[in-house]
Amino acid sequence: MASPAHDTASPQETVLIPITTVKVVVVDDDPDICELLSLTLDAPGRSVETFENPRAALKALGQADHHVVVLDLMMPELNGLELLEQLRQLDPDVGVIIHTANASFQSVTAAMKLGAEAYLRKPATPEDFEEAISSILASRGMLARPVKALLTDLGANIRKERKERGMLLKELARRTGISTGALSMIERARNAPSLTVLHRIARGLDVPIVELLGT
């Protein structure tokens, strides 16, 4: 089961999406596991590269930036902890998920000391991986809400504040100098208001702008 070191996203945050293509590397000497994870971890906005040879993986990780590494522990030539120690010298910020059938208190402790952020016991579920990856990305500020969701919440907040005051669109238009049509479009998330327009709406409703933004 998953043991992420960071808080996981709440159900209300499931709409968060990566702000860039997430590069994932899987290192496991079992070709079947590599093939399985290449399919399991594949998702829009994500690239997955697999390596059965840990030294080849280390070389690739040193040549380009990556965001998440899924790492087996028991591998020939170079075990997972040794690879992780060398990886930290190359990239101290890359997120690391340990994925192994050979979990022990000692190996968990050693991996966490080297900066591993999740420890998954084989066979981990797709949900375990998504939870761990989301936690890693969130801790690095790499997740954001889709613009459509932000506009929907903004429009709903404006409508809520307006109706709580018993105010018609016509009255808010008079107070702000913004047409009823434009206000309606904003409330229905059909149009993104400029910061100036948003300030005028906040003043018209006599609420702090952060109340409309939901922050």
Side-chain angles (χ1 to χ4, degrees):
M1 62 184 294
S3 303
H6 295 281
D7 293 338
T8 55
S10 68
Q12 293 180 335
E13 297 173 328
T14 54
V15 296
L16 296 177
I17 60 173
I19 59 177
T20 187
T21 298
V22 177
K23 297 180 180 179
V24 179
V25 169
V26 175
V27 189
D28 196 303
D29 63 311
D30 187 333
D32 292 335
I33 294 293
C34 284
E35 182 178 2
L36 176 63
L37 292 187
S38 70
L39 297 174
T40 300
L41 302 181
D42 186 42
R46 185 184 299 169
S47 67
V48 182
E49 192 174 5
T50 64
F51 293 90
E52 298 169 30
N53 185 313
R55 295 192 185 281
L58 193 62
K59 181 178 179 180
L61 289 164
Q63 293 175 341
D65 291 333
H66 295 82
H67 303 107
V68 180
V69 177
V70 179
L71 187 58
D72 186 23
L73 285 184
M74 302 301 292
M75 295 183 290
E77 297 185 33
L78 192 68
N79 69 43
L81 291 177
E82 292 170 335
L83 191 152
L84 178 53
E85 187 171 9
Q86 294 184 40
L87 174 59
R88 281 291 171 239
Q89 298 174 16
L90 295 173
D91 188 347
D93 193 51
V94 67
V96 176
I97 299 170
I98 299 298
H99 181 231
T100 183
N102 301 283
S104 68
F105 176 77
Q106 290 78 11
S107 63
V108 171
T109 302
M112 293 305 177
K113 284 183 177 179
L114 289 171
E117 292 167 85
Y119 205 104
L120 307 183
R121 186 187 294 273
K122 292 180 179 178
T125 67
E127 291 76 16
D128 288 336
F129 277 110
E130 291 306 318
E131 180 179 325
I133 291 173
S134 293
S135 178
I136 288 171
L137 298 180
S139 72
R140 288 156 174 75
M142 292 181 61
L143 295 179
R145 298 189 65 206
V147 173
K148 180 62 177 176
L150 292 172
L151 293 179
T152 297
D153 284 353
L154 174 62
N157 289 339
I158 292 172
R159 185 183 304 107
K160 172 178 171 290
E161 296 290 345
R162 178 174 62 80
K163 290 192 173 183
E164 283 181 353
R165 289 159 177 73
M167 191 184 301
L168 298 175
L169 274 176
K170 185 185 299 184
E171 173 63 14
L172 184 57
R174 185 187 66 77
R175 291 186 177 202
T176 60
I178 303 167
S179 71
T180 56
L183 289 171
S184 177
M185 293 286 281
I186 292 170
E187 285 193 359
R188 290 183 292 140
R190 301 290 182 85
N191 192 17
S194 67
L195 189 57
T196 298
V197 167
L198 198 53
H199 274 292
R200 287 162 63 184
I201 293 173
R203 284 199 304 269
L205 293 169
D206 193 26
V207 296
I209 195 169
V210 293
E211 292 293 329
L212 302 182
L213 294 171
T215 59

